[in-house]
Amino acid sequence: MKFINVGYGNMVAAHRIITLTSPESAPIKRIVQDAKDSGRVIDVSCGRKTRAVIITDSDHVILSALQAETIAHRLVSDSDEDVGEEDEE
């Protein structure tokens, strides 16, 4: 199981991530507000501005202070490492 650092020592299981997006669009703002109302938000931004919204397969919404591109790069680089490990075996 691979974990992705989403900022400030917080980790998310990579295989549980469905969507990774920026929080600026109106539909994402509605999703975040609905999740707050129903208690499904996990805020790992440590009081900083939210720059990425992660939606998981359990319908939890994770708010991160890291850029979505940064987290996406970490997801891709971990996937590349997995391919390299399989080739070595």
Side-chain angles (χ1 to χ4, degrees):
M1 181 182 317
K2 296 289 181 182
F3 287 93
I4 302 300
N5 184 339
V6 293
Y8 306 105
N10 298 293
M11 310 290 265
V12 175
H15 70 279
R16 303 293 301 262
I17 295 174
I18 292 182
T19 303
L20 174 62
T21 185
S22 65
E24 275 81 36
S25 70
I28 297 300
K29 288 179 181 179
R30 278 194 298 273
I31 289 171
V32 170
Q33 189 58 51
D34 291 345
K36 282 182 181 178
D37 294 342
S38 64
R40 294 180 289 115
V41 167
I42 303 168
D43 188 353
V44 299
S45 65
C46 294
R48 291 169 177 83
K49 181 180 177 183
T50 299
R51 296 190 175 169
V53 176
I54 302 166
I55 301 174
T56 66
D57 59 355
S58 62
D59 284 334
H60 283 87
V61 176
I62 302 168
L63 308 178
S64 175
L66 296 181
Q67 292 284 344
E69 293 83 12
T70 302
I71 298 171
H73 184 278
R74 292 177 182 181
L75 278 167
V76 170
S77 66
D78 277 354
S79 296
D80 292 344
E81 288 175 8
D82 288 345
V83 170
E85 289 173 4
E86 290 173 1
D87 291 342
E88 292 174 3
E89 292 177 0

